[in-house]
Amino acid sequence: MKRPPLTPRSVIVTAADLADVHGLTEVTLSAVARVLDVRTPSLYGHVRDLAALRDGVTILALGELADRAGEAIAGRSGREALRALCDAHRDYARTHPGRWESLQRRAADAVVRSDEAARSSRALAAVLRGYGIDESDRVHATRLVGSFLNGFLHLEHVGSFAHSAPPADDSWALLIDRLDGLLAHWHTKDAK
């Protein structure tokens, strides 16, 4: 049986799949080479080094998440769009834990400047525009939503909510409602 040719994409996807099974820290060039049944030096024609490999996983994850989030919020606004966006992130974190983990690390310039990063940020920007949040305040609102998502999903992933009631799903719904209320009244923040 002939092995499919190596490409930068096949190497990155293999690394992402490994991350989902074993965690991002277990993704090494030699581990990817073993899965692909090639020698490690064969990968260097497709990825520069380990940092580039992990950046590739991050870019892949950003693109996949952008697709999911864009689909989820299409035709929705306000709380409905916010819930759809948050649910898309939560579902992605659950189904692709290693890819999600790659989004929790400091991004290299190539990642930040990627089309996938731009597409990913457009979904949240669209949700925030639905709340009428001024562009000058959007970075703050983006950080708020990002902090909620990353914090909740990390704590859920490590099992922090498994030992107490109510169930995490109840908190998830309640916190999205509270976040919706805050975003809906963002423009009144200076009102006394």
Side-chain angles (χ1 to χ4, degrees):
M1 181 175 184
K2 188 174 178 183
R3 181 175 46 228
L6 284 182
T7 64
R9 178 156 178 84
S10 69
V11 171
I12 297 300
V13 169
T14 300
D17 291 346
L18 270 173
D20 286 340
V21 174
H22 300 290
L24 188 65
T25 57
E26 297 301 313
V27 173
T28 63
L29 289 164
S30 60
V32 171
R34 274 192 302 277
V35 170
L36 292 170
D37 195 26
V38 298
R39 293 176 17 148
T40 303
S42 301
L43 299 180
Y44 289 109
H46 307 286
V47 292
R48 184 182 68 250
D49 54 20
L50 180 59
L53 180 69
R54 290 183 178 169
D55 287 346
V57 172
T58 303
I59 290 170
L60 175 71
L62 284 167
E64 291 173 346
L65 194 51
D67 292 343
R68 286 184 183 209
E71 253 182 58
I73 68 169
R76 295 183 166 97
S77 64
R79 186 198 180 289
E80 191 179 326
L82 178 65
R83 177 67 191 247
L85 177 84
C86 291
D87 285 347
H89 279 256
R90 191 178 191 202
D91 179 61
Y92 190 79
R94 286 175 166 177
T95 57
H96 296 293
R99 286 166 163 88
W100 177 263
E101 184 184 351
S102 79
L103 299 172
Q104 309 312 307
R105 56 193 271 281
R106 185 176 179 94
D109 287 342
V111 174
V112 173
R113 290 190 312 270
S114 70
D115 292 339
E116 292 82 357
R119 285 192 308 113
S120 185
S121 65
R122 282 195 293 268
L124 178 53
V127 170
L128 295 177
R129 277 193 306 276
Y131 284 98
I133 296 176
D134 295 334
E135 193 168 338
S136 62
D137 273 351
R138 220 168 283 148
V139 69
H140 304 300
T142 297
R143 289 174 179 165
L144 173 66
V145 174
S147 295
F148 161 68
L149 286 170
N150 292 328
F152 191 100
L153 296 176
H154 171 74
L155 291 171
E156 185 173 48
H157 176 73
V158 299
S160 294
F161 304 142
H163 306 292
S164 61
D169 287 346
D170 291 358
S171 295
W172 180 254
L174 176 71
L175 293 175
I176 291 173
D177 282 343
R178 297 301 186 263
L179 189 55
D180 168 65
L182 180 60
L183 295 172
H185 294 93
W186 190 277
H187 62 281
T188 61
K189 70 181 187 308
D190 296 325
K192 304 264 181 204

